Amino acid sequence: MSLRILLMRFGIAAAGGALLAFAATTPAAGADQEDPRESKQIAKGEVIARTGLVLRGAPTRGGAVVRVAPYGEIVKIYCRAEGQSVSGDRQWHLLVDGTWARGSAQYIEAYRTPRLCA
């Protein structure tokens, strides 16, 4: 076995050991911090777009499509912000469902007014 292969294997083993040591000493994500998806500031709403609501990565109709929320889905709204107008409504909701997608407020009936995004 060549010296080069030995050094490469040693480097991989050392990197793996360092990663394990880091994982063992780092507290789990959110161990002492509040998960924003479980915050009391999260508002809920219902998708009212009959054909489903296209959720996007940006508050514009040209933003990348993240997923489509079906009619009647209950969504968690982290905050609201202004974006591109959709049928005269410039409000967009940032949803927390693991994807952090944005949906036009025109097609989400919020049960209470979501807070403004920072």
Side-chain angles (χ1 to χ4, degrees):
M1 187 176 317
S2 72
L3 179 60
R4 181 177 176 207
I5 293 173
L6 276 173
L7 288 174
M8 202 163 53
R9 286 185 180 174
F10 177 75
I12 292 170
L19 182 61
L20 285 175
F22 176 75
T25 59
T26 304
D32 59 347
Q33 296 177 350
E34 185 175 309
D35 185 346
R37 293 171 291 180
E38 301 302 324
S39 170
K40 290 180 178 34
Q41 295 181 11
I42 300 294
K44 289 188 178 182
E46 183 176 353
V47 174
I48 58 172
R50 291 282 181 190
T51 58
L53 176 60
V54 177
L55 301 177
R56 301 184 177 275
T60 66
R61 288 188 271 180
V65 175
V66 175
R67 72 178 185 91
V68 177
Y71 172 78
E73 180 179 334
I74 305 301
V75 294
K76 294 179 182 178
I77 305 167
Y78 184 67
C79 62
R80 63 186 164 87
E82 283 199 7
Q84 184 179 18
S85 178
V86 176
S87 299
D89 189 347
R90 295 184 56 88
Q91 294 295 307
W92 286 70
H93 295 313
L94 177 58
L95 307 180
V96 287
D97 63 352
T99 58
W100 292 90
R102 294 185 180 269
S104 171
Q106 179 71 24
Y107 299 106
I108 300 173
E109 185 176 321
Y111 298 148
R112 66 178 174 82
T113 304
R115 65 190 176 100
L116 287 171
C117 296

